[in-house]
Amino acid sequence: MTSNINLFTPVQLGPYTLPNRMVMAPMTRLRAIDNVPNSLMATYYAQRATAGLIVTECTMVSPLSLGYVNCPGIYSEEQVAGWRQVTDAVHEKGGRIFLQLWHSGRVSHPSLLDGELPVAPSAIAASGTLHTPIGKVAMETPRALETNEIPEIVEQFRKGAENALAAGFDGVELHGAFGYLIDQFVQDCTNQRTDKYGGSIENRARFMLEVVQAVASVWGANRVGIKLSPSNTYYGMGDSNPQETFGYAINALNPFGLAYLHLMEPDKVDLASGDVMNPVTPYYRKIYRGNLISNGGYDHLKGDSILKNSGADLVSFGKLFIANPDLPKRFELNASLNAPNPKTFYAPDEKGYTDYPFLAVQPTKS
C-alpha cells in the first residue's frame, strides 16, 4: 500500500506533533568530560534541532553501567544540570529531544568500574575490545547478576527516567540494542539463566518489560520509546531463533502504547556473516502496532520510499546528521551533503562535532 507520506510529512508521536519524520539517531560521541554533559554538547544538539526528533547518545543509569570513557550519565545532580543545558538549547531552537537510557552490562571492563567486574545475565564474555583508561583491552568475563539484584537495576532505569524528566527532556528511549544489558537478557547466546529471567522467551523478555513498565510509570508510555536490533551481531550477540524471540518481545510491547519502536537494520559486518535477517523492518512491521522508526543506511530517496510504502512511520539518520547539522534543509533543497569524518567521531573537542558547516545563507531578492 502506497501513500503520499514522505520525510517532510508531520507525524503524531505520543503527545507531540513533529514537523517532519526525520529522527536524529542516538550516536555515541564521548564529549561528556568526567561523564557530565556540557555546553559543547548543548551546542551540538541545538545545531540539529530541525530534526523532527533528536535521540541523545546512550546515557548511563548508574556508575556501574559505564562502557566507554566520557559517556554521559543521568544519575547525579551535576549530570541533570548538564543535560538541562542541552534541553534548554534544543527547545530554544524549537526542537524535541528524548534521552536514551542505557546500561552497558557485560560490554565494560573493571578499569571503567573502579575495579568491579561488569554484570550480565550470565557469566559469558563479550567478543571484541574496548578503549579504557588503561588502553585497549579485551573484554573480561562478567559477573552473573543474582536474581535479587535485578530489581535494583530496574530501579536505576526508573530513577534515570525521573532524572531525565527533571532535566527537561521530552521523553526517553530505552537502549535495548547492540548487545548491551537489555539485549543481553533477551537473546539466548548471552542469557543462560535458570531463574525467572532465563530459559523461555517469556522469561528472557521479562527484564526488558519490567524496565519498560518502570520507565513508563514516570513518563507515561506515550513518551517512551525502545530501540532493538534483532540482526546486529555486535560484541558476539546472537539468538538461536531471532524471529521468534524478537517477535514475542515486540508483540509484548504492543499493550503499552509506547511512543515508538526503533528498529536497526543489520550493518555490513552482520551481513557478512550471512545468518541474519535482512531486512528487519518489514518482518516486525507486521507485528508492531504503534509508530515504527527504521534505521540503517538511509538516504533521502530510501527514506521517502519506506514511508511512501508504509514500511515505517519515521526514519532515523546517524552519520548524515553528524556531518550535516541542517540535514532536513539539505534534503528539502536537494543540496549537497558534507561527508562525515570517522576519525573525529570520538574526539574530545569541537573538531568533527560542532564545526561542520551549515548551508550558505542565500541572499534575499529585493
Side-chain angles (χ1 to χ4, degrees):
M1 184 177 70
T2 59
S3 69
N4 293 322
I5 294 173
N6 61 35
L7 290 169
F8 294 99
T9 306
V11 60
Q12 194 70 25
L13 193 82
Y16 307 118
T17 302
L18 306 183
N20 62 63
R21 295 172 186 243
M22 296 179 63
V23 177
M24 177 178 163
M27 292 173 285
T28 301
R29 302 307 308 274
L30 306 183
R31 261 72 172 192
I33 306 303
D34 295 327
N35 312 119
V36 177
N38 51 53
S39 59
L40 181 64
M41 292 170 60
T43 298
Y44 166 74
Y45 283 111
Q47 285 178 338
R48 290 152 179 82
T50 55
L53 176 68
I54 293 171
V55 185
T56 73
E57 61 214 274
C58 57
T59 303
M60 52 183 179
V61 295
S62 73
L64 295 181
S65 61
L66 177 62
Y68 307 103
V69 176
N70 289 331
C71 264
I74 191 64
Y75 54 81
S76 73
E77 291 184 7
E78 189 179 10
Q79 291 164 345
V80 171
W83 277 122
R84 172 61 77 170
Q85 292 183 66
V86 175
T87 60
D88 284 350
V90 170
H91 291 151
E92 285 171 9
K93 296 288 188 179
R96 296 285 187 188
I97 183 167
F98 277 32
L99 179 76
Q100 189 186 63
L101 296 168
W102 170 69
H103 194 302
S104 62
R106 70 177 188 164
V107 184
S108 189
H109 188 269
S111 63
L112 292 163
L113 305 175
D114 291 330
E116 295 196 36
L117 281 174
V119 297
S122 302
I124 302 169
S127 63
T129 59
L130 280 179
H131 291 279
T132 75
I134 61 172
K136 194 172 184 178
V137 297
M139 304 281 188
E140 290 196 11
T141 301
R143 177 178 67 81
L145 285 161
E146 299 292 339
T147 305
N148 62 8
E149 292 180 292
I150 294 174
E152 298 174 25
I153 295 182
V154 175
E155 171 60 17
Q156 290 169 2
F157 275 97
R158 191 203 66 79
K159 183 61 176 176
E162 200 171 71
N163 287 343
L165 192 61
F169 284 94
D170 299 299
V172 293
E173 176 180 285
L174 292 172
H175 198 335
F178 293 166
Y180 299 120
L181 188 63
I182 291 175
D183 200 21
Q184 291 162 29
F185 269 93
V186 171
Q187 300 205 55
D188 60 15
C189 79
T190 43
N191 185 343
Q192 297 181 9
R193 302 178 69 89
T194 57
D195 63 0
K196 66 179 183 178
Y197 291 98
S200 67
I201 297 173
E202 293 83 358
N203 282 354
R204 285 183 278 122
R206 187 185 306 277
F207 175 70
M208 178 192 77
L209 297 174
E210 287 181 353
V211 173
V212 170
Q213 181 64 56
V215 170
S217 75
V218 174
W219 279 93
N222 68 345
R223 291 193 287 173
V224 175
I226 187 168
K227 182 180 181 180
L228 301 175
S229 56
S231 276
N232 291 104
T233 59
Y234 292 113
Y235 302 117
M237 291 304 296
D239 190 86
S240 61
N241 191 336
Q243 289 186 339
E244 184 179 5
T245 293
F246 284 93
Y248 174 85
I250 288 170
N251 188 54
L253 293 170
N254 277 321
F256 286 98
L258 297 177
Y260 62 81
L261 168 66
H262 194 171
L263 285 180
M264 296 297 304
E265 292 295 339
D267 70 1
K268 293 177 182 177
V269 175
D270 301 314
L271 295 177
S273 71
D275 59 357
V276 299
M277 292 178 62
N278 179 40
V280 165
T281 306
Y283 181 82
Y284 296 108
R285 177 66 161 175
K286 295 178 288 186
I287 297 173
Y288 190 65
R289 297 196 293 268
N291 282 322
L292 195 154
I293 303 174
S294 186
N295 177 282
Y298 286 98
D299 57 17
H300 188 176
L301 185 63
K302 291 176 182 177
D304 275 346
S305 178
I306 194 170
L307 296 176
K308 180 180 179 181
N309 291 300
S310 303
D313 300 290
L314 302 96
V315 177
S316 69
F317 302 85
K319 294 175 184 177
L320 290 184
F321 259 121
I322 287 178
N324 300 275
D326 53 353
L327 186 64
K329 176 62 68 174
R330 288 173 185 266
F331 276 7
E332 183 183 357
L333 299 177
N334 290 316
S336 61
L337 300 177
N338 302 321
N341 178 8
K343 293 181 180 179
T344 59
F345 283 175
Y346 312 114
D349 52 28
E350 69 278 358
K351 188 175 181 180
Y353 191 59
T354 57
D355 60 352
Y356 282 105
F358 286 73
L359 280 171
V361 177
Q362 300 297 318
T364 56
K365 293 182 179 180
S366 57

